[in-house]
Amino acid sequence: MNLTELIHEFVLALVELGILLGSLGAVLFVNTANSAFSPGSVFTCISLLYFVSNADFVAAAQSLVYVGAINVLTIFAVMITDEPTGSNIVPRGIGYFIALGACAILFSALACVIHNTNWFGLSFTNQLGIPMSGTPGNNVQQLGYKLLGEFVVPFELVSVLLLVALVGAINLARDEDALTTDKKSSASSTRENSSFF
């Protein structure tokens, strides 16, 4: 193993560690705002993983779409609609341990499949060993042309639809907060008006 391969393996290990820590942070942080920031680090590390794997277009698309749009909108929604957390911590029940066991089994199965797959020996051939004719030569270039040519209008419409849905959800959440504060203020004002002193 020469020096460049060693550096490449070290960078891959750092990126994978960032993905693992960000994923754990998204699940384990008690504060919802911190939990919303953690997927940003995961998406950034995934983008770096694509970049290290020489998939520059996919890395740029990952950064723009997930880090630049999805994660920012998620953080925006959490910051507007989230109530501050108190000291009421729910004890862990039987459902927590069932979910933990299911996740451990799924993680073990995925780790086995990833470890036992010959990633460099993959080829697009049928059962007879003949290369498939429908296999594109340069996927990234074709994806870029399709996304910025034929599918640019649906892509932008979906982004506008997601933005409208987010604004609607925020509006509904704020209306519920306004109703609860109005009820509390009207109840307190009737108590103040009923006082004899």
Side-chain angles (χ1 to χ4, degrees):
M1 182 179 276
N2 59 13
L3 184 61
T4 57
E5 290 177 357
L6 185 65
I7 292 172
H8 189 264
E9 292 293 326
F10 179 71
V11 169
L12 281 176
L14 282 179
V15 168
E16 291 166 358
L17 181 67
I19 292 172
L20 181 65
L21 291 177
S23 301
L24 287 174
V27 175
L28 297 177
F29 280 141
V30 176
N31 189 353
T32 313
N34 292 340
S35 184
F37 278 111
S38 293
S41 66
V42 172
F43 295 147
T44 304
C45 288
I46 290 173
S47 176
L48 290 173
L49 186 66
Y50 287 138
F51 184 72
V52 170
S53 301
N54 290 330
D56 300 335
F57 179 77
V58 180
Q62 172 80 16
S63 295
L64 288 173
V65 173
Y66 285 102
V67 179
I70 304 290
N71 196 46
V72 169
L73 287 176
T74 304
I75 291 171
F76 180 67
V78 165
M79 293 295 192
I80 287 179
T81 60
D82 189 33
E83 295 180 11
T85 56
S87 61
N88 52 355
I89 297 175
V90 179
R92 295 181 176 150
I94 188 74
Y96 173 79
F97 295 108
I98 292 172
L100 184 67
C103 289
I105 290 170
L106 180 64
F107 178 77
S108 301
L110 288 174
C112 255
V113 167
I114 289 171
H115 180 69
N116 293 330
T117 301
N118 184 10
W119 294 101
F120 297 107
L122 295 177
S123 63
F124 295 102
T125 58
N126 59 13
Q127 293 178 348
L128 299 175
I130 302 169
M132 296 172 60
S133 61
T135 305
N138 191 350
N139 288 351
V140 176
Q141 188 176 16
Q142 290 179 0
L143 178 65
Y145 282 130
K146 291 285 188 183
L147 187 63
L148 296 176
E150 184 179 347
F151 295 111
V152 71
V153 174
F155 181 73
E156 293 299 324
L157 288 177
V158 166
S159 65
V160 169
L161 178 69
L162 287 173
L163 181 62
V164 168
L166 177 70
V167 169
I170 291 170
N171 191 21
L172 288 174
R174 293 189 81 186
D175 286 345
E176 288 177 6
D177 289 341
L179 287 175
T180 56
T181 55
D182 285 344
K183 287 179 183 176
K184 288 179 183 177
S185 65
S186 65
S188 64
S189 65
T190 56
R191 275 188 244 139
E192 292 171 0
N193 292 339
S194 66
S195 175
F196 291 114
F197 300 106

